[in-house]
Amino acid sequence: MSATPQKNRASRRVLAAAAGLATVGALVAAMPAGAQDRHGHGHGHGHHKGRTVDVQLLSFNDLHGNLEPPAGSAGTVTETQPDGTTKAIPAGGVEYLASSLRTARKGHPYSITAAGGDMVGASPLLSGLFHDEPTIEALNKIDLDVTTVGNHEFDEGASELARLQNGGCHPEEGCYEKGKKFGGADFPYLAANVTKERTGKPILKPYTVWKKKGVKIGFIGVTLEGTPNIVTANGVKGLKFHDEIETINKYAKELNRQGVKSIVALIHEGGAPASTSYNYDCDSSGPGDGISGPITEIAKGITPKVDALVTGHTHQAYVCTIPDPAGNPRMVTSASSFGKLYTDTTLTYDRRTKDIVRTSVKSAGAKNPRSTNHVVTRDQPRANDMTALIARWNALAAPIANKPQGYISADINGRGSTALEKPLGDLIADAQLEGLAPADKGGAVVALMNPGGIRADLVHKASGAEGDGVVTYGEAFTVQPFTNMMNVVDLTGAQLVTALQQQVSGSNEASPKILQVSKGLTYTLDMTKSGADRVVTDTIRLNGEAIDPAKTYRVAMNEFLAGGGDGFAALGEGTNKLVGASDLDMFNAYLAAHSTAETPLAPPAADRITVIQ
C-alpha cells in the first residue's frame, strides 16, 4: 500500500539546502534573555543552612519520541536477580516517566532534570508524523531543565532543530491543530561542539547555568564528533562538529571565569558495560568487568573542572566511576533508551568553594549509592497530563496510523534482537530487493540495510484495536521512521567485498555494524579474528556464485548508505544511481504482497550470515 498523502513522513522532510541555516543564526538571539538562568524552580521548597547542600540530578537519554510504551523486547530492561538469573521488566512510556520523575523529586528542594540527547528523531509515528512536536510538548510538561543535542536532533537539518527550540509551525506542513501554534522547547538545547561553517559560531547555546538560592551548576552539552558519519548529508549541511574533549574543556574554563565551579557535561556519546543488566555494578573489579567504548577515553580527557558526565547514544544502562585526569573519582551515567530508565544522582554542593564534593558511585560510609538507575515501571499510576497529550495526538494520527499493511504469524525481531543478523533486517532487505529488482526500477541483484535504521520490532500482539498479527502503518513507520529514499547503484565486486569488510574494520572495528542482506547473499563472519579479516572473503556468494571482483553489480540501499554513511565509504563510490520509492513504501508494499490474514508472514530464518564467535 502506498503512503497516504498530505501529513505523512513520505512527503519528504529533508529541508532545502537554501533554507539550511537561515533560521539558525537567529537562534541564540531569539532565546529569552534569562534563558541561561531559567528553571531555578528546584521542584520544591526548603532551606539548607549548612556548608553543603545535596542537589538531585535526574537524567535520561535517547528518548527518540517514544511517548507510548515501546512494544516487544524493545520495551523491556534486564534486571539481575539476587540468585544471578536475569528477568525482563516492561518499562517506558512518558505517562510513567513523568510519574517516576515527579515522585523522585519529592523532598528534594534542589532538583535538576537533564537529558543526554536524541530526545527526538527516529521516533514512532505518534511523534514522527508531527515532526516531534508532541515530544517537545511532553518534555516541557515533564519540566526538563536542559538537554544536549544528539545526532538525531540533526535528522531534519539545523533549521528544523532551531524551530524545535524556538517554536513556530512547520514550514511545509503548517500547524497541526487549529488555532494552536507550536511554542517550542521551554528548556535550552545545548550544542557546544556544533558550529556554522560560515561563521565558526555555535548554532545553539554551548552551556547554561542552573541557579537556586546561591547554588550554581553549569551544564555543557556536546554531541559525538562523528555525527556527520551517521546523519544524512542534508541534515548536517553547513555545520562543523568538533572534538568533544577540547570543546568541554574550553567551556569549563569559561564557566570557571564566570565563578561557576560546579559543572556537569551532557555528552551524546557512550560506552558498553560488561553486563546489559541495568543494575550491574559497573565499579566491580572482576576480570572483564567495568565499561568499554568511546566514553571511557573521553572521560579520561575531560578536565577535572567537570564534576559529572551524563552520557547517551549507545542505549546502554550504566552508573560508573571513571577517574578524571587528576585521579579524582567522577561519575559517568547513562539510562538505557526510550524512557525505560532514569538516573538519580546526588551532587553535594559546597557553598564555600562553590564546587561539588566528589565521590565514587558508592562513597565510603554512605548508606545508598550516590548514583542509581531506576526502572520506569508500568505498574505505577500514569501521569494524567501525559495520557491526555497522547490521546490528543493519537486522534490526529489515527486516520494514517491505523491502516493495516500486512500480517505476521509471530514477533519479527529487529531492534530487540542481539544477533548480528536480525530476522527483521532480512525482511527489510528482501522488500528492498523485490521492489528494485525490475529492470525499470533499477535492476538490483542484492540489497543492503544498515542495522541502525531498524528502530523497533514487528510485534504480533495488537497495539490497538487492529487485532493480533496485523501490521499497521504506524507500526511499520516505527520500524523505519526516516523515510529514506531508496537508491540502486553500480558497484564492482571488489567494492562490494570492501563494503562487507568495512562492517568490522576502520571506524566500525570496535563496534561492528553488520549490514542486513537480501536473500541470495551468503558469507561467513569470523569474529575470533580482527578487522577486515573477520569477513571470510572466499565464502561470499551471490545466488551460489562467488563474487567476481571485476564484475559490476546493481546494489540497492537507502540514500544514507549510498552516501557512505555509517563508515561504509565503499558504498558511497557507487555510480549510475537510480532513485526509487522510500524504504517505508517498499516495506509496506512487500507486506501487502506477501501476507494475508489467512497466510501471515513468518519470521525469516536469519541464516544468511554464518557467524563464528
Side-chain angles (χ1 to χ4, degrees):
M1 185 178 245
S2 64
T4 316
Q6 204 42 47
K7 287 181 185 169
N8 93 40
R9 197 62 174 262
S11 64
R12 283 329 315 281
R13 300 203 161 166
V14 178
L15 290 139
L21 292 169
T23 58
V24 183
L27 189 57
V28 176
M31 291 193 68
Q36 201 163 296
D37 304 328
R38 39 184 314 289
H39 278 353
H41 45 61
H43 308 297
H45 304 283
H47 302 277
H48 199 299
K49 292 175 184 170
R51 175 169 165 174
T52 63
V53 56
D54 280 350
V55 177
Q56 179 189 54
L57 175 62
L58 301 175
S59 56
F60 59 98
N61 51 277
D62 296 276
L63 180 64
H64 291 288
N66 278 267
L67 302 180
E68 295 177 294
S73 55
T76 63
V77 292
T78 303
E79 180 179 80
T80 299
Q81 306 300 300
D83 64 359
T85 60
T86 59
K87 178 180 171 186
I89 301 175
V94 293
E95 294 161 292
Y96 304 110
L97 179 61
S99 290
S100 290
L101 295 174
R102 288 164 184 169
T103 301
R105 288 173 190 147
K106 286 176 182 168
H108 293 276
Y110 296 85
S111 182
I112 310 166
T113 304
D118 276 7
M119 294 295 98
V120 301
S123 306
L125 184 117
L126 176 60
S127 187
L129 188 64
F130 306 107
H131 298 274
D132 282 311
E133 289 180 21
T135 296
I136 298 296
E137 184 185 339
L139 293 171
N140 287 344
K141 289 178 184 290
I142 279 174
D143 276 338
L144 182 63
D145 287 303
V146 58
T147 185
T148 184
V149 293
N151 51 291
H152 282 282
E153 265 80 15
F154 294 92
D155 283 349
E156 295 188 40
S159 56
E160 175 62 4
L161 174 57
R163 187 182 75 87
L164 291 181
Q165 176 74 85
N166 294 331
C169 296
H170 191 269
E172 291 166 20
E173 296 177 22
C175 298
Y176 295 111
E177 295 178 287
K178 198 172 179 182
K180 272 182 115 171
K181 184 181 169 189
F182 173 58
D186 291 346
F187 50 89
Y189 254 116
L190 305 180
N193 67 330
V194 188
T195 59
K196 287 176 278 188
E197 277 179 351
R198 197 169 41 81
T199 64
K201 292 186 175 160
I203 66 159
L204 290 155
K205 289 163 61 65
Y207 58 81
T208 191
V209 181
W210 181 92
K211 295 178 182 177
K212 186 177 182 193
K213 294 181 181 163
V215 175
K216 288 193 292 190
I217 299 179
F219 288 84
I220 303 166
V222 297
T223 186
L224 69 155
E225 186 183 6
T227 291
N229 301 326
I230 52 176
V231 173
T232 57
N234 278 336
V236 294
K237 194 173 179 68
L239 305 179
K240 195 164 169 48
F241 292 77
H242 303 270
D243 182 82
E244 304 96 335
I245 298 171
E246 288 172 16
T247 303
I248 291 168
N249 291 352
K250 169 185 158 183
Y251 286 112
K253 267 189 197 164
E254 192 170 309
L255 281 165
N256 272 193
R257 282 197 299 269
Q258 294 174 18
V260 179
K261 306 292 185 188
S262 298
I263 302 171
V264 175
L266 308 176
I267 308 171
H268 192 70
E269 178 60 290
S275 164
T276 55
S277 292
Y278 83 89
N279 57 340
Y280 166 65
D281 179 3
C282 189
D283 289 354
S284 53
S285 54
D289 271 338
I291 184 172
S292 59
I295 199 63
T296 56
E297 293 310 307
I298 291 172
K300 288 171 189 170
I302 288 175
T303 172
K305 295 180 197 304
V306 174
D307 299 295
L309 313 182
V310 171
T311 72
H313 188 55
T314 56
H315 291 203
Q316 301 294 310
Y318 49 84
V319 175
C320 307
T321 310
I322 302 178
D324 70 15
N328 304 314
R330 184 162 61 190
M331 290 184 281
V332 179
T333 69
S334 173
S336 183
S337 63
F338 300 171
K340 294 181 288 190
L341 298 177
Y342 72 92
T343 314
D344 190 336
T345 302
T346 302
L347 301 175
T348 299
Y349 182 89
D350 186 320
R351 290 182 179 279
R352 196 175 303 166
T353 64
K354 299 180 180 174
D355 209 346
I356 301 298
V357 181
R358 297 260 285 279
T359 65
S360 301
V361 170
K362 290 179 176 171
S363 58
K367 267 194 306 189
N368 300 312
R370 305 294 285 174
S371 186
T372 314
N373 272 327
H374 297 276
V375 182
V376 176
T377 59
R378 296 183 196 165
D379 56 4
Q380 63 183 311
R382 294 182 174 104
N384 292 334
D385 57 340
M386 294 296 151
T387 305
L389 180 149
I390 289 168
R392 206 178 87 235
W393 288 102
N394 260 333
L396 288 173
I400 295 166
N402 297 339
K403 286 188 174 173
Q405 304 298 310
Y407 303 84
I408 56 174
S409 64
D411 288 359
I412 304 181
N413 285 342
R415 194 77 186 178
S417 168
T418 55
L420 297 179
E421 181 186 353
K422 305 169 193 308
L424 189 51
D426 286 0
L427 181 63
I428 291 169
D430 287 352
Q432 294 175 353
L433 176 61
E434 181 169 297
L436 297 167
D440 62 335
K441 302 288 188 194
V445 294
V446 65
L448 305 172
M449 174 65 190
N450 55 309
I454 307 167
R455 304 306 300 185
D457 302 333
L458 273 187
V459 178
H460 184 263
K461 184 173 168 50
S463 59
E466 76 276 11
D468 289 351
V470 179
V471 180
T472 64
Y473 184 88
E475 289 165 337
F477 182 102
T478 298
V479 168
Q480 293 206 98
F482 300 109
T483 50
N484 275 310
M485 303 313 282
M486 290 303 301
N487 289 183
V488 185
V489 298
D490 282 350
L491 288 174
T492 64
Q495 287 170 321
L496 188 53
V497 171
T498 299
L500 293 177
Q501 291 172 327
Q502 286 171 344
Q503 302 175 108
V504 288
S505 63
S507 61
N508 292 330
E509 177 157 10
S511 182
K513 290 189 173 75
I514 305 305
L515 294 165
Q516 308 297 290
V517 299
S518 56
K519 59 178 177 256
L521 183 66
T522 57
Y523 68 97
T524 297
L525 202 54
D526 187 348
M527 298 306 283
T528 65
K529 296 183 176 168
S530 61
D533 291 341
R534 290 165 166 170
V535 176
V536 185
T537 50
D538 60 8
T539 65
I540 304 171
R541 297 278 184 280
L542 182 58
N543 301 320
E545 290 184 12
I547 298 289
D548 179 349
K551 187 178 168 184
T552 296
Y553 297 85
R554 293 290 282 165
V555 183
M557 65 194 89
N558 60 44
E559 61 190 329
F560 170 67
L561 279 179
D566 265 353
F568 290 101
L571 298 181
E573 294 167 3
T575 56
N576 295 328
K577 179 167 79 173
L578 182 143
V579 178
S582 76
D583 51 8
L584 180 60
D585 282 354
M586 293 212 159
F587 187 50
N588 284 331
Y590 188 86
L591 290 171
H594 291 273
S595 67
T596 65
E598 294 72 35
T599 56
L601 260 178
D607 55 1
R608 298 162 193 183
I609 306 170
T610 302
V611 181
I612 301 169
Q613 295 281 15

